[in-house]
Amino acid sequence: MQATKGHLRREFPPLSSPSETFLSAFKRPRYPSCAHPSTRGVMHIRNQYEQHMTMKKTCLAVASLAALSASSQAAVIIDASNITYTGSQAANVLGPITTITDGSGLSAPLTVANLNTVTHANFSSTNSWATTNPNGTGDFFLGGGAQGTVTFEITFDNAYTIDTFTTWGYGWNADQGNNASAITIDYGVGNYLSSTNLNLPLTTLGNPQTVNLGGITADRVRITVTDNHFGASGGGDRVGIAEIAFVGDVASIPEPSATALIGLGGLALILRRRK
C-alpha cells in the first residue's frame, strides 16, 4: 500500500528545524521493514551509529586492560626466598641456604636502582652459605665426582620475565676461589624444560657481579654450580655463595578473567556486524 503524506506525517512527524534531522533520527523508535524507503534509510544510519558506538566501547575496554597490564610490568627484585638445597654434596657449613636470598650481609636493602652498588660483608654463619671441602685443600671440582652436586631450586610467587642474575661471592679476605665461575640454570613455568649456561666473572671481595639472562620466562629456576675460581684466586676447595638476586617483571600471561572479557568483546563485535 502506497504511503501518503499524511501517513508519513503521523508516523514520522516533521522536525522542528533541518539542523536537527540527523541527531533526532537516532532518538526515534525502530520502524518495521515495510516503512517508507526514507524511514528505512534513517534506520540504516542509526544502526551504523550503534555499531560504531559498540565497537568504540569494546576498544576502550580492551585498551584499558592493556594499559593496566602494561602498568604492572615494571622491573623488580624478584622474591627468591622459597629456596631449597637439592645437591648431594654436604652443605650448611655456614648458614642455611636461605641466607643467600634474605639480604643478610648486604650494605642496604636491594632495589633495582642500587643493585650494582650494594656490597656484602665478609662471610659469617648468619649471612653466607658454603659446602664442605671433600678434597682437602685441592680443587673442589677435581675429585673424580667425590664432590657430588651443588644444586638449589627456587620457586617464585609468579611467572616472571627474568632479565638479570646477580651474585655476591663468598670470600675469605682477598681469596675468591670458592665463588662459582660456571653455573647451569634450568627454568620454566611449571617445569625445568629450558636451560642456559652462564660464566660468572671473578670480582673483588663483597662486590656484585651481574649477568644477562635475556628475558627468560619462568616461575622456577634450578641452579647447578659446575665450577669455581680455583687457581684464579686463593681458596677453591669448596663452593661458597653470599647472596643472589634476580631482576625482572611479571610475565605477560593474561589472567583468565581478562582473556574471557576480551573474547566476549570480540564475539559481541562479530555478532553486531552480522545483524
Side-chain angles (χ1 to χ4, degrees), residues 59-119:
C59 289
L60 286 174
V62 173
S64 297
L65 285 172
L68 181 61
S69 175
S71 66
S72 66
Q73 305 305 306
V76 297
I77 302 293
I78 302 172
D79 181 7
S81 60
N82 188 11
I83 183 171
T84 304
Y85 181 67
T86 57
S88 61
Q89 169 58 38
N92 294 349
V93 174
L94 294 173
I97 193 64
T98 52
T99 60
I100 73 172
T101 59
D102 64 3
S104 56
L106 294 178
S107 59
L110 280 183
T111 67
V112 174
N114 71 11
L115 182 68
N116 291 314
T117 59
V118 169
T119 58

Side-chain angles (χ1 to χ4, degrees), residues 30-79:
R30 292 182 178 273
Y31 289 89
S33 59
C34 62
H36 191 275
S38 62
T39 306
R40 291 199 300 270
V42 172
M43 292 168 59
H44 175 69
I45 295 173
R46 186 181 68 179
N47 288 340
Q48 286 186 322
Y49 173 79
E50 290 176 349
Q51 290 177 8
H52 169 75
M53 292 306 295
T54 299
M55 182 179 295
K56 183 176 180 180
K57 291 177 181 178
T58 303
C59 289
L60 286 174
V62 173
S64 297
L65 285 172
L68 181 61
S69 175
S71 66
S72 66
Q73 305 305 306
V76 297
I77 302 293
I78 302 172
D79 181 7

Side-chain angles (χ1 to χ4, degrees), residues 111-142:
T111 67
V112 174
N114 71 11
L115 182 68
N116 291 314
T117 59
V118 169
T119 58
H120 196 282
N122 207 343
F123 76 86
S124 73
S125 61
T126 61
N127 68 20
S128 301
W129 174 92
T131 68
T132 58
N133 55 336
N135 300 320
T137 59
D139 186 351
F140 178 85
F141 287 97
L142 287 180

Side-chain angles (χ1 to χ4, degrees), residues 42-260:
V42 172
M43 292 168 59
H44 175 69
I45 295 173
R46 186 181 68 179
N47 288 340
Q48 286 186 322
Y49 173 79
E50 290 176 349
Q51 290 177 8
H52 169 75
M53 292 306 295
T54 299
M55 182 179 295
K56 183 176 180 180
K57 291 177 181 178
T58 303
C59 289
L60 286 174
V62 173
S64 297
L65 285 172
L68 181 61
S69 175
S71 66
S72 66
Q73 305 305 306
V76 297
I77 302 293
I78 302 172
D79 181 7
S81 60
N82 188 11
I83 183 171
T84 304
Y85 181 67
T86 57
S88 61
Q89 169 58 38
N92 294 349
V93 174
L94 294 173
I97 193 64
T98 52
T99 60
I100 73 172
T101 59
D102 64 3
S104 56
L106 294 178
S107 59
L110 280 183
T111 67
V112 174
N114 71 11
L115 182 68
N116 291 314
T117 59
V118 169
T119 58
H120 196 282
N122 207 343
F123 76 86
S124 73
S125 61
T126 61
N127 68 20
S128 301
W129 174 92
T131 68
T132 58
N133 55 336
N135 300 320
T137 59
D139 186 351
F140 178 85
F141 287 97
L142 287 180
Q147 76 278 2
T149 58
V150 180
T151 303
F152 43 93
E153 299 177 0
I154 302 171
T155 303
F156 304 128
D157 61 351
N158 210 326
Y160 288 88
T161 299
I162 308 174
D163 300 315
T164 62
F165 172 61
T166 301
T167 63
W168 287 260
Y170 160 106
W172 174 259
N173 297 323
D175 295 338
Q176 299 290 293
N178 294 325
N179 295 335
S181 66
I183 63 173
T184 296
I185 298 182
D186 302 310
Y187 63 92
V189 177
N191 53 57
Y192 297 107
L193 296 183
S194 300
S195 182
T196 185
N197 297 313
L198 300 174
N199 293 318
L200 306 179
L202 183 65
T203 61
T204 55
L205 179 64
N207 290 313
Q209 54 184 358
T210 297
V211 291
N212 184 24
L213 291 180
I216 64 174
T217 299
D219 66 359
R220 65 198 64 206
V221 294
R222 180 171 59 212
I223 301 175
T224 301
V225 180
T226 57
D227 203 359
N228 63 10
H229 284 287
F230 180 87
S233 180
D237 57 331
R238 65 187 76 220
V239 173
I241 301 171
E243 189 79 19
I244 65 172
F246 294 91
V247 171
D249 50 58
V250 176
S252 300
I253 301 176
E255 293 289 335
S257 57
T259 305

